[in-house]
Amino acid sequence: MAWDEWDQLKADALSRQQNGMRLDSTAPAGGGGAAGAPYLKTNKAGKDAAVKALRDELRPKTEQAGSHADESSAAAVRAFSGWSTGSGLKAAHAEWELQVKNLQGRLAKDQGDLEASHQEFQYVDHGVRSRIALIGPEIDPRPEV
């Protein structure tokens, strides 16, 4: 390879490094966000809408569907009592009740997690900022090579 070509390749590599993101530097004084703007960007309106849907629609309707199946299944089990179909329906209904209970628990957990997520994101954001602030600019945490 000719020296001129080698020099050109080195110059190209250097220009790519200078135009790219640098991971070994910090944001200018004042942080990475715009002046006065919060650092954390989340979709609070979307989370609030999801919580409302869980609270007002999904959880109540899941409970209604479970209750409706309870009544219908109980009537069918009574109608087929003494038959194998009756005991099969009873076992299937027991599994249905378990699944509805698990689903209701999961929906409640999802609702609670969504309600708490904004605050948890802020805790993480502040925690990371605090740990970064502990690293003095004069200390290079990278090992010597």
Side-chain angles (χ1 to χ4, degrees):
M1 180 181 301
W3 287 110
D4 293 334
E5 186 179 357
W6 176 247
D7 287 336
Q8 183 61 43
L9 289 172
K10 289 193 307 184
D12 291 346
L14 182 61
S15 70
R16 283 193 305 269
Q17 287 178 346
Q18 290 174 346
N19 293 335
M21 180 175 64
R22 300 254 341 206
L23 296 177
D24 62 348
S25 63
T26 61
Y39 291 97
L40 181 63
K41 300 291 184 192
T42 61
N43 184 356
K44 184 158 174 39
K47 284 188 294 220
D48 290 344
V51 168
K52 184 179 184 324
L54 282 163
R55 183 185 58 238
D56 298 342
E57 295 290 323
L58 291 172
R59 290 182 61 201
K61 289 185 179 181
T62 299
E63 189 173 337
Q64 288 173 354
S67 296
H68 178 71
D70 287 345
E71 297 162 6
S72 301
S73 295
V77 168
R78 281 192 303 273
F80 289 106
S81 65
W83 293 46
S84 295
T85 303
S87 62
L89 282 172
K90 188 173 182 178
H93 182 66
E95 182 64 27
W96 168 262
E97 286 178 328
L98 178 65
Q99 295 298 324
V100 169
K101 182 180 175 184
N102 289 340
L103 178 59
Q104 287 174 328
R106 186 171 183 172
L107 291 173
K109 183 181 180 325
D110 288 348
Q111 179 182 337
D113 290 348
L114 282 169
E115 289 170 334
S117 66
H118 184 72
Q119 187 173 11
E120 289 172 3
F121 281 138
Q122 284 182 329
Y123 287 148
V124 169
D125 193 39
H126 292 299
V128 169
R129 183 181 308 130
S130 296
R131 286 191 302 270
I132 289 172
L134 293 174
I135 301 172
E138 67 282 349
I139 299 172
D140 189 356
R142 297 173 293 186
E144 295 287 329
V145 181

